[in-house]
Amino acid sequence: MRHMDCHEERIHVCGKIQSFGYLFVFDRNEQCIAASENVEKHWRRPAHDFIGKSITELLDFLLPKHSEHFHHFRDEIADPVFNRFVEKVELDGHDYYVSIYRCGENLYLEIEQSNGFDLRQTKLHYYAKHLERGGSDVWKSLTQLIKEIIQFDRVMIYRFKEDKSGQVIAESINNNLDSLLGYRYPEFDIPKQARALYKEFLARHTADTDGPISPLVQSKEEEIDLTHCSVRALSPIHLQYLRNAQVRASASFSIVVDGELWGLVTCQNLLPKHVDLAQRHACLFLTQYAVNYYLSTRLKQETQYIEMTSQLEGELKEELWINNDLLATFNKYAHRLMNKLAADGMFIGNEEEKLSFGEIPAAHHITIIKQLLGQQQENVFATNKCIYREDTKNEETLFPGVIKVDLIPNSSWTLLFFRKEHVVEEIWAGKPEKITPDTLAGHENYPSPRTSFAAWKQINEGASLKWEQRELLFIERIALLVQQSIAKKAGEIQRLNEELVNANNTLDTYSYTLTHDLKNPLSAIRLSAQMIQMKPGLSEEFLKRCSTNILDAVQLMSEMMEKMHEEFAATGSVALRPYLIDPTAHILSIVETAKQEHGVHHLHFELGEVYPVLAERTLLFQLFLNLIGNAIKYSGKEQQPYVKVYSRINDAYISYFIEDNGIGMDLKSNNDIFEIFLRMPNSTGYEGSGVGLSIVKRIVNRLNATIAVESELGKGTLFRVDFVRPR
């Protein structure tokens, strides 16, 4: 016959009751469907006589002197917080506790003996203070208090580890017992379904491992859930486990932290002993109080750690933002970082530069570690187990504990922290192996619990102390600081580059504007001077007109140079002082000068209606200078060159049009005609540098205007400039 394994045992539906209590179970209609067989011993009626009776009938029969106390039990068990009705009663000269509660669709009535324990309220204050005085050793204080309440030989705190095994971390024992402090217990000592039950129902106990147990007498064969039953008998496997440990009575109280089963308060007594309901409730209360104190202490420690590390983070952040040298920065803070992480050594570097501090693995092992950890996707990866095996047997010191940090994404910059091997001698309460025999006398379908609890030692090597979660969070923040500082510097570099490009563009514009736009006033000066030289005996009126032209040109040059200087100095941010300007005189002057400069004496120029615009005088002159000058230049080789300038007005804009019948442009090529130095392919043979239209675009932007162009090869060009209409 196949033996049942521990994890297969359905302990919550065992159908057995301990001898110190009695159980009745009712269906959703409050009709009795089960009663423990031992009720006949106390009430002189067989259990099956109670089947089918209502809970009201049973309370009147079982507790005739106290039935009126139970009239309101339904209200109490309906409360989601206080969902168990409890009343202390006297039966045949003895005290009993009566409990009524629901589990699933069924209603349960438990009656169990009291051992006379009475918890005075003044004691609660003493117990709370005792736990608080325990400080960091709150669990030791808890074992002392629970031992005082239940008077057991041994009370210990059993904490579950990550691998589901357990370890005794605190205990209070009688002097005649050997200490189990630090002892380890394997996972299979408390199987999975037992842990689930402990999380659901927080207090369990058995008064006598060899005491009689009573089965349930039921109306029909079905499994009745005894998850919340205080008088439920323990499983045969667990009872045998306790006998093998030479224990006759036991109790346990669940320690639940953050919704998970953190550990157990495990109590053992060498002789039978009943822990009544009041004692169990007191022990649960103290256990929860200890949990709350533990959580508040842990939170305080975490807060203190964050405060200490925050100061270091702030200093490191400031240094990173000031200093461009990562190695220099980490060289300055290496030992403080190692201290906060309890690390033995640190390495930082890339393929070309590196630094190390404290004790670290050999160089070739660091190379292996970086290669292995380079396969990890996490930005911060930690392990406490040795990941490199090559030649480790010859190493005097191993460093299994490693934190790997990728400081800069997509780069070889790596930060490593190391911890030395921490060799641990573990003591197990018996060798952690499970043996299932072929047969077990007197039992069928029955697994074998461990029989030996003799100390068994095991040496654990090849691992370091584990990195704590708060340490990993700290180093994640450090990595983020580095990345933020790099990003900030990259942003600053980009901004500086953009400013440099803008400055260079402004410088180019300044330079080319001077060399380009000053040609027109210089031409006027040159022409006036040539006329004075070539015509002796000039009239005073002619000389006055020439000198006026020269002075106007000089004034214009001076204004253009001053304006460009202001723009260059302020990188385009100098404020304009616009006012209404009638550009007629500018236009006519530009036309006459351009005709002379480009030799287009047969030009047919037409000036249409001209409206004043809101602009700045010098910039407006430069704008028309380039547009009208280009129109005259590129139409000058036509047989009948033609240029027309006119304006139109609407509600939003005053639009100026400069129209010519020159060589035109191919706008389908998607070239940006306003790009500096760009000349169209058909402009060969015409003087120019490709600067004029880029100056036009810049001026249009400065005047808060817009510009558009229509053109066709060989058929001329039309520029349209829209100025915002003044209000």
Side-chain angles (χ1 to χ4, degrees):
M1 181 177 292
R2 185 183 74 86
H3 292 288
M4 183 199 314
D5 204 356
C6 287
H7 69 272
E8 299 176 299
E9 190 181 20
R10 295 168 58 80
I11 57 179
H12 65 297
V13 291
C14 65
K16 302 289 179 24
I17 303 302
Q18 296 187 63
S19 60
F20 62 82
Y22 312 94
L23 177 65
F24 300 87
V25 184
F26 304 84
D27 62 16
R28 67 174 68 182
N29 298 316
E30 297 188 356
Q31 302 297 310
C32 185
I33 58 174
S36 58
E37 191 178 70
N38 62 348
V39 298
E40 181 176 3
K41 181 179 179 181
H42 189 92
W43 283 278
R44 302 290 186 262
R45 291 185 62 176
H48 60 76
D49 283 359
F50 298 100
I51 303 299
K53 304 292 184 182
S54 71
I55 188 170
T56 303
E57 291 179 276
L58 279 187
L59 287 172
D60 289 340
F61 175 77
L62 299 172
L63 309 165
K65 297 180 182 179
H66 307 282
S67 58
E68 71 276 4
H69 295 159
F70 298 92
H71 292 160
H72 60 286
F73 78 84
R74 294 177 184 83
D75 294 332
E76 290 204 22
I77 66 175
D79 190 303
V81 178
F82 305 101
N83 54 8
R84 184 180 288 251
F85 174 88
V86 178
E87 186 76 19
K88 191 174 185 180
V89 300
E90 185 269 331
L91 290 174
D92 301 330
H94 298 284
D95 288 334
Y96 287 82
Y97 288 100
V98 180
S99 301
I100 304 175
Y101 58 93
R102 289 193 184 278
C103 181
E105 295 185 347
N106 291 339
L107 187 67
Y108 294 74
L109 169 63
E110 293 181 19
I111 303 174
E112 66 169 276
Q113 297 172 9
S114 167
N115 59 17
F117 174 79
D118 184 22
L119 179 63
R120 298 193 305 272
Q121 290 187 357
T122 53
K123 273 283 190 179
L124 288 176
H125 178 73
Y126 157 75
Y127 290 152
K129 289 299 179 184
H130 185 83
L131 286 173
E132 293 171 5
R133 282 197 298 270
S136 60
D137 203 4
V138 64
W139 303 119
K140 171 66 175 178
S141 299
L142 181 62
T143 63
Q144 293 169 343
L145 293 179
I146 290 181
K147 189 175 188 302
E148 179 182 318
I149 292 171
I150 66 175
Q151 296 294 304
F152 268 40
D153 296 319
R154 185 193 306 276
V155 177
M156 52 189 177
I157 304 296
Y158 176 93
R159 180 174 184 178
F160 293 114
K161 302 178 78 69
E162 287 185 0
D163 62 359
K164 306 302 182 183
S165 66
Q167 185 174 27
V168 178
I169 63 168
E171 70 171 358
S172 292
I173 58 175
N174 289 347
N175 294 332
N176 60 327
L177 297 181
D178 295 329
S179 173
L180 297 179
L181 187 63
Y183 274 44
R184 295 284 305 278
Y185 290 80
E187 176 187 3
F188 54 75
D189 272 16
I190 305 179
K192 182 179 180 180
Q193 77 276 25
R195 295 169 194 247
L197 190 63
Y198 293 168
K199 186 178 173 181
E200 181 75 16
F201 192 59
L202 305 183
R204 300 145 306 281
H205 91 294
T206 183
D208 186 356
T209 56
D210 293 328
I213 56 176
S214 299
L216 285 178
V217 176
Q218 302 179 211
S219 59
K220 55 183 178 180
E221 290 187 9
E222 64 178 24
E223 292 181 334
I224 294 180
D225 189 348
L226 300 182
T227 295
H228 294 271
C229 182
S230 298
V231 297
R232 175 181 63 85
L234 300 189
S235 74
I237 301 173
H238 190 56
L239 288 173
Q240 186 60 48
Y241 179 91
L242 293 173
R243 294 187 194 105
N244 292 346
Q246 300 181 356
V247 171
R248 290 291 300 275
S250 77
S252 63
F253 307 99
S254 302
I255 302 174
V256 178
V257 175
D258 296 332
E260 297 298 327
L261 188 64
W262 185 91
L264 300 171
V265 183
T266 303
C267 314
Q268 298 175 344
N269 206 61
L270 302 184
L271 298 176
K273 178 170 286 192
H274 173 47
V275 179
D276 77 7
L277 187 63
Q279 289 175 303
R280 300 197 300 271
H281 283 181
C283 293
L284 279 177
F285 173 82
L286 292 175
T287 300
Q288 189 56 52
Y289 191 93
V291 167
N292 292 340
Y293 187 81
Y294 165 77
L295 287 174
S296 66
T297 302
R298 189 176 70 177
L299 180 60
K300 187 183 297 183
Q301 292 171 346
E302 295 297 329
T303 302
Q304 291 173 347
Y305 184 84
I306 291 173
E307 288 175 353
M308 290 188 295
T309 54
S310 293
Q311 181 180 354
L312 176 57
E313 289 172 32
E315 294 178 25
L316 186 60
K317 178 179 180 179
E318 184 177 353
E319 186 73 24
L320 285 168
W321 285 16
I322 295 173
N323 194 339
N324 289 324
D325 191 336
L326 269 181
L327 288 183
T329 299
F330 277 89
N331 181 43
K332 183 176 180 179
Y333 290 93
H335 292 288
R336 290 175 65 184
L337 288 169
M338 289 164 54
N339 181 57
K340 289 294 182 290
L341 293 171
D344 296 303
M346 176 183 129
F347 169 92
I348 181 173
N350 57 16
E351 295 174 354
E352 300 174 355
E353 304 174 274
K354 62 191 70 174
L355 280 176
S356 63
F357 309 87
E359 298 182 71
I360 64 172
H364 65 286
H365 283 155
I366 290 181
T367 302
I368 295 172
I369 290 169
K370 290 175 66 176
Q371 290 173 348
L372 291 173
L373 295 185
Q375 303 168 10
Q376 302 296 328
Q377 299 300 315
E378 299 96 329
N379 187 41
V380 176
F381 175 81
T383 180
N384 73 316
K385 296 180 180 178
C386 192
I387 59 171
Y388 61 102
R389 300 296 180 187
E390 182 182 324
D391 297 332
T392 54
K393 292 182 179 178
N394 300 324
E395 294 288 324
E396 293 184 4
T397 305
L398 289 181
F399 296 87
V402 181
I403 293 179
K404 181 267 306 183
V405 186
D406 293 328
L407 283 177
I408 305 174
N410 303 318
S411 80
S412 61
W413 275 101
T414 305
L415 178 63
L416 299 171
F417 290 94
F418 298 98
R419 277 182 181 169
K420 296 179 185 177
E421 179 184 32
H422 183 67
V423 179
V424 179
E425 181 184 74
E426 292 183 332
I427 303 177
W428 291 76
K431 190 173 182 178
E433 60 181 358
K434 190 170 186 179
I435 301 174
T436 302
D438 293 332
T439 61
L440 199 66
H443 301 280
E444 59 181 59
N445 210 24
Y446 191 87
S448 174
R450 288 197 298 128
T451 57
S452 173
F453 293 88
W456 184 82
K457 295 182 179 180
Q458 175 178 281
I459 305 297
N460 283 340
E461 300 176 309
S464 71
L465 292 174
K466 289 196 67 174
W467 304 99
E468 294 184 23
Q469 185 63 27
R470 65 182 185 180
E471 294 168 338
L472 298 181
L473 292 175
F474 166 64
I475 204 60
E476 283 180 2
R477 294 195 299 272
I478 295 300
L480 185 60
L481 282 180
V482 173
Q483 292 166 17
Q484 287 176 340
S485 67
I486 296 297
K488 179 177 182 291
K489 288 173 183 174
E492 287 182 345
I493 291 171
Q494 182 178 355
R495 180 178 58 80
L496 290 173
N497 284 338
E498 290 173 354
E499 289 181 359
L500 182 59
V501 169
N502 289 337
N504 286 336
N505 288 341
T506 304
L507 180 61
D508 289 342
T509 303
Y510 178 63
S511 171
Y512 293 119
T513 298
L514 289 179
T515 58
H516 182 275
D517 288 3
L518 292 181
K519 288 180 180 179
N520 191 285
L522 283 172
S523 295
I525 294 172
R526 184 179 68 251
L527 289 172
S528 296
Q530 287 175 345
M531 292 178 69
I532 292 173
Q533 285 181 340
M534 293 171 59
K535 295 183 178 182
L538 295 174
S539 67
E540 184 176 343
E541 181 182 354
F542 184 80
L543 288 174
K544 184 176 181 179
R545 188 169 70 245
C546 286
S547 63
T548 299
N549 289 341
I550 292 172
L551 290 175
D552 286 345
V554 170
Q555 177 64 27
L556 180 60
M557 291 172 62
S558 176
E559 290 176 357
M560 290 172 62
M561 293 174 68
E562 182 180 354
K563 182 61 62 179
M564 291 306 299
H565 175 73
E566 288 176 355
E567 288 204 55
F568 176 67
T571 319
S573 62
V574 65
L576 294 177
R577 300 183 189 87
Y579 55 93
L580 275 177
I581 300 174
D582 181 354
T584 304
H586 283 329
I587 295 171
L588 293 175
S589 173
I590 290 168
V591 170
E592 288 304 316
T593 303
K595 286 169 59 178
Q596 297 296 326
E597 181 181 358
H598 300 296
V600 191
H601 302 290
H602 59 303
L603 173 72
H604 175 67
F605 174 72
E606 184 178 342
L607 181 63
E609 190 168 11
V610 175
Y611 293 100
V613 295
L614 192 65
E616 196 277 332
R617 179 175 178 271
T618 306
L619 293 181
L620 187 64
F621 180 85
Q622 288 178 266
L623 175 65
F624 285 125
L625 173 65
N626 282 284
L627 292 177
I628 296 173
N630 279 349
I632 294 173
K633 177 171 64 174
Y634 291 115
S635 62
K637 295 183 181 181
E638 299 295 322
Q639 288 186 355
Q640 295 180 338
Y642 170 80
V643 173
K644 182 178 181 180
V645 178
Y646 56 97
S647 65
R648 291 175 183 168
I649 190 168
N650 59 32
D651 292 340
Y653 300 102
I654 296 174
S655 301
Y656 269 79
F657 300 86
I658 298 90
E659 183 179 347
D660 70 67
N661 66 341
I663 62 175
M665 296 179 286
D666 180 14
L667 299 181
K668 296 179 181 179
S669 62
N670 294 324
N671 288 320
D672 183 359
I673 64 171
F674 298 104
E675 182 180 344
I676 194 169
F677 301 130
L678 177 67
R679 301 200 72 200
M680 304 305 289
N682 61 337
S683 64
T684 305
Y686 292 87
E687 181 186 356
S689 58
V691 175
L693 288 182
S694 68
I695 295 173
V696 165
K697 180 65 174 175
R698 180 177 176 84
I699 292 172
V700 164
N701 292 339
R702 294 283 283 131
L703 293 176
N704 196 28
T706 58
I707 188 168
V709 60
E710 298 176 12
S711 188
E712 189 175 347
L713 281 174
K715 294 185 178 181
T717 302
L718 173 66
F719 280 96
R720 171 179 173 170
V721 182
D722 293 332
F723 298 92
V724 177
R725 183 175 178 180
R727 299 298 178 185

